[in-house]
Amino acid sequence: MTELPSTLYDTPTVTGWLDDMVEPLITLIGNDASTALIGIRRGGVDVGRYLLEKLMLAGAPVHDELGELNIAFYRDDFSSVGLHPVVGPSQVPFDVDNRHIVLIDDVLGTGRTVRAAMNEIFDYGRPARISLAVLVQRDGHELPIRADVTGQLMQVQPNQYIDLDAGKMQLNVGQKA
């Protein structure tokens, strides 16, 4: 079996995109001390951890714990994709009421994951606002959802995937089998 071609974005490239997101996030947050970050499992949590550390080092007024969402039960395609058992339960260690939530994901594709995450956030309370930060925003949206802060815009074919290897902070773009 022949291996399908793929493109690997190395660690310095990916961390450079992440570092480039810090200043726009600081601007987005401003002086809003009610701001908290929530990552969408799996990749969004790793991106969120990285960004939270950088924001705190820069003195941004953010909550010092990262919330984590498992949106599996909130997806509108749950019946076709099923539950991914390696992903644990959601953990939001702060009150979301009247808080500025910065929702974080690794890749924004169709918009369905973000829609599901927002639905789950509202189960925790009513935030003052929700902003979206993503490492990669790809084309092919199915819902009118766009990121407020983006590390990289990518045009990929519908038959391609984008996968973050968070342990190495590398990004792979390849062909779906």
Side-chain angles (χ1 to χ4, degrees), residues 39-61:
I40 302 172
R41 288 204 181 115
R42 295 172 308 189
V45 170
D46 296 309
V47 171
R49 284 184 186 126
Y50 185 95
L51 292 173
L52 180 60
E53 180 181 336
K54 294 292 182 173
L55 289 168
M56 290 179 67
L57 286 172

Side-chain angles (χ1 to χ4, degrees), residues 7 18 23 25 27 39 47 55-56 72-73 76 84 86 92 100 110 112 118 135-137 141 143 148 152 166 172:
T7 303
L18 288 164
E23 277 304 315
L25 280 168
T27 301
V47 171
L55 289 168
M56 290 179 67
F73 291 116
D76 59 5
H84 300 285
V86 295
V92 179
H100 175 197
T110 63
R112 295 185 181 284
M118 288 190 300
L135 174 60
V136 174
Q137 182 169 295
H141 302 284
L143 299 174
D148 298 287
Q152 185 70 20
N172 188 46

Side-chain angles (χ1 to χ4, degrees), residues 105-114 132 134-139 141 143 145-147 150 162:
D105 205 3
D106 55 348
V107 179
L108 172 58
T110 63
R112 295 185 181 284
T113 297
V114 172
L132 178 62
V134 297
L135 174 60
V136 174
Q137 182 169 295
R138 63 176 285 168
D139 50 1
H141 302 284
L143 299 174
I145 295 174
R146 302 294 181 273
T150 303
I162 301 172

Side-chain angles (χ1 to χ4, degrees), residues 110-133:
T110 63
R112 295 185 181 284
T113 297
V114 172
R115 184 210 48 83
M118 288 190 300
N119 284 350
E120 183 171 356
I121 288 170
F122 280 104
D123 282 351
Y124 284 92
R126 183 184 165 96
R129 70 179 173 147
I130 298 175
S131 301
L132 178 62

